[in-house]
Amino acid sequence: MTQEVASPCINVCRMDAGTGLCLGCFRTIEEIAVWSRTSNDQRLKVLLAVERRRAEHDPLGCSSGGEFSGDCER
């Protein structure tokens, strides 16, 4: 039995108009919409893309509801 890959959702569900990414999980609306019907292999590919996006847009890892790293107090 294979365990399902967990969603990166952190319940901060706001789409950034400029990037097209969710401010919480860094997925596109398309990736969010199909997540429940996506294979584990595809989910892993999305998670890799999410990590690249997070590093690019939020290098300090502080987007817990703010506008990427711009609201970070570090």
Side-chain angles (χ1 to χ4, degrees):
M1 182 172 167
T2 304
Q3 190 173 15
E4 286 194 19
V5 175
S7 169
C9 180
I10 60 168
N11 295 318
V12 177
C13 305
R14 272 191 19 230
M15 300 307 289
D16 180 83
T19 65
L21 301 174
C22 173
L23 294 173
C25 68
F26 292 91
R27 289 182 292 172
T28 66
I29 193 70
E30 294 82 15
E31 291 166 342
I32 294 167
V34 300
W35 185 265
S36 65
R37 301 182 309 272
T38 303
S39 70
N40 276 344
D41 287 341
Q42 188 59 36
R43 288 179 181 190
L44 290 172
K45 289 177 185 176
V46 170
L47 291 180
L48 287 173
V50 162
E51 287 307 311
R52 284 192 306 271
R53 295 169 190 155
R54 186 182 320 275
E56 181 180 325
H57 295 287
D58 189 26
L60 298 177
C62 52
S63 67
S64 57
E67 298 290 333
F68 296 123
S69 60
D71 288 346
C72 186
E73 299 276 332
R74 291 188 202 177

